[in-house]
Amino acid sequence: MAKPAKKLVIVTEKILLKKIAKIIEESGASGYTVLETGGKGSRNVRSSGQPSVSDTTANIKFEVLTPDRLMAQNIANRVAREFFTDYAGMIYLCDAEVLYGESFCGPEGCGI
Amino acid sequence: MDFLSLFLMDFVKQLQSPTLAFLIGGMIIAALGSELVIPESICTIIVFMLLTKIGLTGGIAIRNSNLTEMVLPMIFAVIVGILVVFIARYTLAKLPKVKVVDAIATGGLFGAVSGSTMAAGLTLLEEEKIPFEAWAGALYPFMDIPALVTAIVVANIYLNKKKRKELAYSSESFNKQPVAAGDYSDQQDYPGSRQEYLSQQQPTDNRVKIWPIIEESLRGPALSAMLLGLALGIFAQPETVYKSFYDPLFRGLLSILMLVMGMEAWSRIGELRKVAQWYVVYSVIAPFVHGLIAFGLGMIAHYATGFSWGGVVILAVIASSSSDISGPPTLRAGIPSANPSAYIGASTAIGTPVAIGLCIPFFLGLAQALSGN
């Protein structure tokens, strides 16, 4: 049986990368993935494809696997409270099943 | 009329200079909907190259020059940087439909310096063979950092005052203790409304910490490249790599950066339209006002310590420029509640083209007319 987990996705401004990474680390999550993204939202089109001389308009997407809903909620609450009044941002949660990931499942493996 | 004809001649010549031609070219192809994309990593390396070159030039010059000559222009650069923020606070911020924080952030960005505008100014002075102190580029951080720090401090003082006033009006909703991070009960969920959400926000520390702002601007890509170049110029012997690599590539790379700035300027105009029209008025007039203040101070330095006319022009050009690269992220982090569409739009869409296209030839013409050249 694969190990059930929650996948927390945070889409926000690149300028917050380090600050959000710190929150995720402090929450006890074993790791995270960051992608550069672009798209359209309530704060105009923020695309990574436009010519740009600074990083201010770039977007990122964090994916964090958490063992339970509580940890994901803690991260989401802190991020939203600290940043989302002033910065663009969106957070959602998905169900996931981890098939392989030693750091996540431990030395005995996730079990497929 | 001598001055006017000199200015017009310079202006027409400037339109044909690679710097401005590429800027206008970029705006035109963006307006026509071109899908040309210059990869961001290339822009990053260009900015690095340009500012390292300017830093190296300054560093090598400082090594061979008399430091006491630099003191007065540096003090004037600091004064202009700080003054620009207060000008915005007491003009732009008072205008209808302009939010005070947005105005302060705009002032900070206009006080900060654009590396590309400065590079364009230096290139033009070289083309015109007007002598200037090679260390004049090193005035950059002395205007940039004070402007950003002042803007962030003034904005935060304003926001704290406003918050305290609001607290005094609506005290009952604040009886709820803010929840400390990481200490949630299971029932604690997302706030139900925006009002509730806002009330959960802990009142921030009333004191604005200045050192982190300085640290952040020093760590920004533009200033760290420039200061690295400056240090290498002073302490190492980088002349060979300077002559064979940084100097020859400078103008070509500047033209690419100008193209990108033109495209970005066009794409930002739309955003600017959504805020208030006053930003347009401000960003056309402000570069001239700031430049003239710096020009006046530069003239004092000219008569007091023999600061060259070329140097006066550079001081005026960096004052009229508004930051595009390092300023926006610093302000975004320092004044999060200010609307970036307002200040980045004002600076990139109008401020920079005005500074490069109109202010550089204007101050050059002014200097030529006043020096009788």
Side-chain angles (χ1 to χ4, degrees):
Chain A
M1 183 49 201
K3 186 170 176 176
K6 295 283 176 189
K7 182 176 94 169
L8 178 74
V9 182
I10 307 172
V11 185
T12 187
E13 302 186 20
K14 191 176 176 184
I15 197 166
L16 300 176
L17 200 154
K18 280 186 192 162
K19 291 173 183 160
I20 292 180
K22 198 166 157 245
I23 292 177
I24 294 172
E25 274 163 33
E26 282 170 4
S27 76
S30 58
Y32 55 86
T33 310
V34 189
L35 310 154
E36 294 236 8
T37 56
K40 184 175 191 287
S42 58
R43 301 195 180 208
N44 299 326
V45 177
R46 300 176 53 87
S47 141
S48 52
Q50 275 185 353
S52 167
V53 281
S54 69
D55 266 351
T56 340
T57 56
N59 278 12
I60 47 163
K61 179 164 132 181
F62 273 96
E63 290 193 358
V64 193
L65 280 176
T66 60
D68 50 47
R69 194 186 167 93
L70 188 67
M71 187 193 280
Q73 245 172 347
N74 281 346
I75 298 171
N77 280 343
R78 267 193 74 184
V79 170
R81 175 165 313 133
E82 285 179 31
F83 305 115
F84 284 3
T85 351
D86 296 322
Y87 296 93
M90 159 69 80
I91 303 181
Y92 54 88
L93 197 61
C94 315
D95 286 321
E97 285 178 60
V98 182
L99 295 181
Y100 185 78
E102 212 173 284
S103 63
F104 191 80
C105 308
E108 73 277 6
C110 306
I112 304 171
Chain B
M1 283 301 103
D2 220 25
F3 166 67
L4 198 67
S5 64
L6 265 175
F7 171 67
L8 281 175
M9 264 167 55
D10 260 339
F11 183 62
V12 174
K13 217 181 340 170
Q14 258 281 282
L15 282 177
Q16 294 172 327
S17 82
T19 314
L20 192 59
F22 272 86
L23 186 80
I24 296 172
M27 287 173 103
I28 292 172
I29 59 168
L32 294 174
S34 156
E35 287 183 13
L36 174 70
V37 173
I38 311 275
E40 237 177 282
S41 45
I42 291 191
C43 296
T44 315
I45 198 82
I46 291 178
V47 169
F48 163 76
M49 286 267 313
L50 295 185
L51 289 161
T52 310
K53 190 256 177 188
I54 292 172
L56 283 172
T57 320
I60 294 170
I62 288 172
R63 190 164 13 114
N64 310 317
S65 75
N66 183 0
L67 280 179
T68 50
E69 284 171 21
M70 295 180 66
V71 175
L72 204 57
M74 274 177 184
I75 294 172
F76 287 153
V78 174
I79 293 174
V80 173
I82 294 172
L83 200 60
V84 164
V85 178
F86 285 99
I87 294 176
R89 174 71 182 86
Y90 292 105
T91 57
L92 182 63
K94 305 277 179 202
L95 294 167
K97 286 194 195 163
V98 175
K99 277 206 238 152
V100 177
V101 268
D102 294 356
I104 297 170
T106 312
L109 210 54
F110 274 75
V113 176
S114 151
S116 48
T117 310
M118 181 169 78
L122 293 171
T123 312
L124 191 73
L125 283 174
E126 277 168 24
E127 275 169 12
E128 299 273 319
K129 304 213 166 35
I130 295 172
F132 60 90
E133 285 82 358
W135 49 258
L139 294 173
Y140 182 138
F142 291 93
M143 194 178 296
D144 197 72
I145 296 176
L148 293 172
V149 170
T150 313
I152 293 172
V153 171
V154 170
N156 282 301
I157 290 172
Y158 167 79
L159 287 172
N160 282 334
K161 259 189 204 160
K162 203 172 127 188
K163 202 178 270 171
R164 247 176 285 154
K165 249 185 226 166
E166 276 168 14
L167 272 176
Y169 282 126
S170 58
S171 53
E172 81 279 6
S173 66
F174 283 81
N175 291 334
K176 266 194 255 170
Q177 278 294 310
V179 184
D183 184 27
Y184 302 103
S185 62
D186 281 351
Q187 288 80 23
Q188 181 68 40
D189 214 326
Y190 294 107
S193 69
R194 193 176 168 83
Q195 213 60 42
E196 193 185 327
Y197 169 68
L198 286 174
S199 72
Q200 281 181 4
Q201 298 222 320
Q202 305 182 16
T204 42
D205 195 1
N206 282 339
R207 284 185 52 126
V208 187
K209 293 185 189 77
I210 291 176
W211 180 243
I213 309 169
I214 297 176
E215 212 173 37
E216 197 169 324
S217 24
L218 287 175
R219 280 185 187 152
L223 269 180
S224 37
M226 154 115 200
L227 292 173
L228 174 72
L230 204 61
L232 289 174
I234 296 175
F235 299 113
Q237 304 273 346
E239 280 85 353
T240 46
V241 69
Y242 176 81
K243 276 188 199 125
S244 62
F245 182 66
Y246 287 95
D247 200 34
L249 285 177
F250 184 74
R251 286 174 198 204
L253 292 178
L254 182 63
S255 70
I256 301 175
L257 186 64
M258 286 296 135
L259 187 74
V260 175
M261 306 272 279
M263 288 161 68
E264 186 151 308
W266 189 263
S267 67
R268 292 275 171 195
I269 282 181
E271 263 182 59
L272 190 59
R273 220 178 290 145
K274 288 182 195 150
V275 284
Q277 299 88 328
W278 286 113
Y279 286 97
V280 179
V281 179
Y282 173 82
S283 35
V284 172
I285 297 173
F288 283 99
V289 175
H290 304 158
L292 282 171
I293 294 170
F295 197 93
L297 291 172
M299 276 172 72
I300 297 176
H302 172 74
Y303 290 116
T305 61
F307 191 42
S308 69
W309 281 107
V312 177
V313 173
I314 292 171
L315 189 64
V317 167
I318 60 175
S320 61
S321 74
S322 50
S323 180
D324 299 298
I325 298 154
S326 57
T330 311
L331 284 175
R332 190 79 182 100
I335 320 175
S337 53
N339 179 0
S341 291
Y343 56 88
I344 300 177
S347 163
T348 310
I350 302 174
T352 299
V354 166
I356 295 173
L358 300 176
C359 290
I360 295 177
F362 174 74
F363 291 117
L364 199 64
L366 195 62
Q368 280 172 335
L370 288 172
S371 64
N373 230 331

